Amino acid sequence: MTSVRQQNFLLRKEKILAMAETLLLDNNQDITLSELATELDIAKGTIYKHFKSKNQLYLELIILNETRLLEISQKYNNDIKTYVSEYMLYNMLNSNRTILLHVIEERLTNSERKLKELFEKLYQIREQRIIEIKDMTSDYLKSLDSAMSIRDYLSYVWTVTYGASLLLNSTYYQKSIGSRERLIKLYVNQALMTPDKISHAVL
């Protein structure tokens, strides 16, 4: 049974993560632990009781985000069209979060060597997310007589989603976008239409 002290510890960690995410998205750039401590009205040392470094904090934010995506997979694992729509909307409607977390993950992957266990946890969650929708995606592609593999199709959905997020997050392109809602719907429809009747010929 979890003690009151342990519950308070976990609750404080959740608050730190929530505030870190808010600051990161509000600033649209890197944050400092001093800024975070000030916003939470706690000592900087208190943050270190939960996170050994800012990189660990960032990686746990990425894991939290991936867990939300896993929940989408679990909730809509019997309806491919709803799943693709919900997955893409989650990312595109919060395009700055999608871009920032991806950039941070790339940076940590190339530079951080002390967080192996957390990276393994991230990849396990990501793998579980794919497992949740594997059969549904396979059935969908077969129903369309598509030669595209499950991995390639899901990679394609991510590519369209990330590209759309870049556009939606661009100050320059936002000036020329007519209806964001119409554009987002177009991207979702594009992802769902692409695998239809793909040729089996070797390209």
Side-chain angles (χ1 to χ4, degrees):
M1 182 179 294
T2 305
S3 67
V4 173
R5 184 176 181 180
Q6 289 172 320
Q7 289 176 344
N8 289 337
F9 185 84
L10 292 173
L11 182 60
R12 186 168 59 192
K13 181 178 181 179
E14 290 177 1
K15 289 182 177 179
I16 292 172
L17 283 170
M19 180 57 71
E21 183 176 48
T22 297
L23 285 177
L24 190 65
L25 300 184
D26 286 348
N27 294 344
N28 206 34
Q29 59 185 7
D30 204 7
I31 62 174
T32 68
L33 295 185
S34 294
E35 291 175 310
L36 182 56
T38 298
E39 287 293 330
L40 290 166
D41 194 24
I42 60 176
K44 186 176 177 180
T46 301
I47 296 177
Y48 282 111
K49 292 180 180 179
H50 298 272
F51 308 97
K52 295 180 180 179
S53 66
K54 186 169 66 173
N55 282 349
Q56 180 186 342
L57 172 62
Y58 280 163
L59 190 50
E60 294 211 30
L61 276 178
I62 294 168
I63 289 172
L64 177 61
N65 188 67
E66 197 66 36
T67 301
R68 294 170 184 158
L69 291 172
L70 171 59
E71 290 170 355
I72 292 175
S73 293
Q74 293 169 331
K75 185 175 182 180
Y76 302 107
N77 63 4
N78 60 353
D79 184 344
I80 186 71
K81 293 187 177 181
T82 301
Y83 166 72
V84 169
S85 177
E86 292 295 325
Y87 169 84
M88 294 181 71
L89 287 173
Y90 174 83
N91 284 286
M92 290 189 291
L93 294 179
N94 297 277
S95 56
N96 59 331
R97 178 185 62 202
T98 298
I99 302 303
L100 275 171
L101 292 183
H102 179 70
V103 169
I104 291 172
E105 181 181 343
E106 287 295 301
R107 187 181 75 212
L108 294 182
T109 300
N110 293 324
S111 64
E112 183 59 67
R113 298 290 180 267
K114 300 178 181 179
L115 300 173
K116 182 179 178 181
E117 289 185 5
L118 281 179
F119 273 112
E120 289 177 352
K121 181 178 180 180
L122 171 64
Y123 300 149
Q124 287 172 357
I125 295 171
R126 198 164 281 165
E127 181 179 3
Q128 182 61 38
R129 175 168 63 84
I130 301 303
I131 290 173
E132 287 289 337
I133 58 174
K134 181 179 178 181
D135 291 342
M136 172 183 69
T137 306
S138 176
D139 291 342
Y140 175 63
L141 294 173
K142 287 178 181 178
S143 73
L144 296 174
D145 192 28
S146 172
M148 183 177 280
S149 69
I150 296 172
R151 182 181 298 276
D152 286 348
Y153 176 60
L154 295 179
S155 295
Y156 172 74
V157 171
W158 162 245
T159 301
V160 174
T161 302
Y162 189 73
S165 297
L166 283 170
L167 178 65
L168 294 166
N169 199 50
S170 166
T171 302
Y172 175 79
Y173 284 107
Q174 282 181 11
K175 297 175 182 178
S176 58
I177 293 175
S179 168
R180 288 175 64 89
E181 292 75 16
R182 190 179 301 118
L183 185 62
I184 287 172
K185 185 176 181 180
L186 175 65
Y187 280 121
V188 172
N189 288 338
Q190 178 185 344
L192 287 168
M193 289 189 296
T194 298
D196 191 22
K197 303 297 181 182
I198 294 177
S199 172
H200 287 265
V202 177
L203 300 180

